[in-house]
Amino acid sequence: DAKTTQPTSMDCAEGRAANLPCNHSTISGNEYVYWYRQIHSQGPQYIIHGLKNNETNEMASLIITEDRKSSTLILPHATLRDTAVYYCIAHTTGGTSYGKLTFGQGTILTVHP
Amino acid sequence: DTAVSQTPKYLVTQMGNDKSIKCEQNLGHDTMYWYKQDSKKFLKIMFSYNNKELIINETVPNRFSPKSPDKAHLNLHINSLELGDSAVYFCASSLTDMVRNTEAFFGQGTRLTVV
């Protein structure tokens, strides 16, 4: 998996959009950008993933730059329950990796009332 | 309907003991994993099984022995427990698809404390 770089921590006001950046300048052509989050004392939870195009689901939106060297996860209306560590992972489930995920330090997102 | 379930949730044991953690998934996935999260919160893969066969073994001491009786279960047995084994252990599963990238589902974790 390509290395990713994220800010250590971020704050966001409740109800506002939370924009979490991620750099993955060495990402290879077959690696997707995955986002997981870990709420305190729980297991990691899948959020979203994408290859080239922007993606949106019920949880978040993922914006990937055209050169694929960086991306932004957007939580459109952050709530207190979105306080968690957010992990950006460049990853492919194909080949011999068999879905192995390489977690970095992630970004601690704190949502304030 | 818990997708990936681990038991026990908490485990406190003395050094030198042997213990097991069980994991079951009801998602029909063919690949299961064990991850370890240490006190510094780093999540690191330990093992991966695909269709009951060991695929990934990330230089884990051989005191750790995973066992997969079937595709839905991956248990972790630890012999001669040491203080440094204290951590949270997460089981996960995913569907291996060489064409379509899929996501992994994690259990709630087992907090192991060795005293």
Side-chain angles (χ1 to χ4, degrees):
Chain A
D1 293 351
K3 180 177 166 58
T4 61
T5 305
Q6 301 176 249
T8 303
S9 63
M10 294 183 66
D11 289 340
C12 178
E14 192 177 18
R16 304 297 292 268
N19 297 300
L20 290 85
C22 179
N23 286 322
H24 31 79
S25 57
T26 61
I27 194 169
S28 62
N30 65 345
E31 285 183 316
Y32 284 65
V33 179
Y34 277 78
W35 284 83
Y36 284 78
R37 72 180 182 184
Q38 187 174 22
I39 296 170
H40 182 62
S41 298
Q42 296 184 21
Q45 177 192 22
Y46 165 81
I47 301 173
I48 198 167
H49 73 281
L51 184 64
K52 297 180 191 176
N53 300 322
N54 298 336
E55 302 287 345
T56 296
N57 62 22
E58 65 279 2
M59 289 183 70
S61 294
L62 174 61
I63 309 297
I64 303 173
T65 57
E66 195 170 337
D67 63 9
R68 300 209 329 121
K69 292 186 177 181
S70 66
S71 60
T72 301
L73 177 75
I74 301 172
L75 306 178
H77 305 287
T79 70
L80 298 179
R81 286 175 296 191
D82 292 322
T83 294
V85 180
Y86 286 77
Y87 297 100
C88 169
I89 302 169
H91 169 69
T92 178
T93 59
T96 57
S97 70
Y98 280 94
K100 165 189 162 186
L101 291 165
T102 302
F103 287 87
Q105 285 189 299
T107 295
I108 301 170
L109 175 68
T110 304
V111 181
H112 296 287
Chain B
D1 282 355
T2 304
V4 181
S5 59
Q6 301 178 223
T7 53
K9 189 172 182 180
Y10 299 98
L11 184 55
V12 181
T13 187
Q14 291 186 327
M15 275 195 306
N17 283 351
D18 303 338
K19 290 293 179 185
S20 292
I21 307 172
K22 295 185 177 181
C23 178
E24 175 182 6
Q25 54 94 4
N26 62 5
L27 298 166
H29 289 166
D30 59 351
T31 305
M32 296 185 71
Y33 316 81
W34 278 108
Y35 283 79
K36 177 180 179 181
Q37 188 166 40
D38 59 24
S39 58
K40 295 183 179 177
K41 303 297 185 183
F42 283 109
L43 261 167
K44 190 173 180 184
I45 191 165
M46 301 172 67
F47 300 103
S48 165
Y49 268 72
N50 177 260
N51 285 318
K52 303 194 301 174
E53 288 193 27
L54 179 66
I55 300 298
I56 295 172
N57 180 341
E58 290 285 311
T59 320
V60 176
N62 56 17
R63 295 184 297 104
F64 291 78
S65 53
K67 295 262 189 317
S68 182
D70 55 57
K71 284 198 315 183
H73 296 84
L74 180 62
N75 304 322
L76 184 64
H77 188 76
I78 315 171
N79 290 328
S80 304
L81 277 154
E82 301 177 357
L83 293 176
D85 297 331
S86 295
V88 182
Y89 292 84
F90 288 100
C91 177
S93 73
S94 69
L95 185 64
T96 298
D97 186 327
M98 297 304 179
V99 174
R100 185 178 66 91
N101 276 254
T102 61
E103 65 269 29
F105 290 78
F106 285 77
Q108 290 301 296
T110 296
R111 182 174 293 278
L112 171 66
T113 304
V114 182
V115 298

